[in-house]
Amino acid sequence: MTLLINILIGSIIFGYAGITLYKSIKKQKKGKCASCSLQKSCSSNVCVPPTKLEDFSTK
């Protein structure tokens, strides 16, 4: 009986670790700002790509 309980607890722990790892990898693939929880209310321009120097030279 204790072996069954240990297997069940181990399965729960490894299952949770697997799900957490999967979510983390999925979040990393989205990128820095796309996966941020403050994306809609973020006031910093950290994720805005810098403008190209070529854009200013043509004007």
Side-chain angles (χ1 to χ4, degrees):
M1 185 66 177
T2 59
L3 179 63
L4 183 64
I5 293 172
N6 286 337
I7 291 173
L8 180 67
I9 291 172
S11 298
I12 290 170
I13 291 171
F14 280 106
Y16 179 74
I19 290 170
T20 305
L21 184 63
Y22 173 75
K23 286 181 180 181
S24 174
I25 291 171
K26 191 174 175 184
K27 194 175 191 182
Q28 287 176 355
K29 284 184 180 180
K30 286 183 180 180
K32 183 178 176 182
C33 286
S35 62
C36 181
S37 61
L38 299 174
Q39 178 185 9
K40 294 184 180 185
S41 63
C42 184
S43 62
S44 70
N45 289 331
V46 175
C47 300
V48 177
T51 57
K52 294 181 181 178
L53 294 176
E54 297 169 4
D55 293 341
F56 293 113
S57 63
T58 59
K59 291 182 180 179

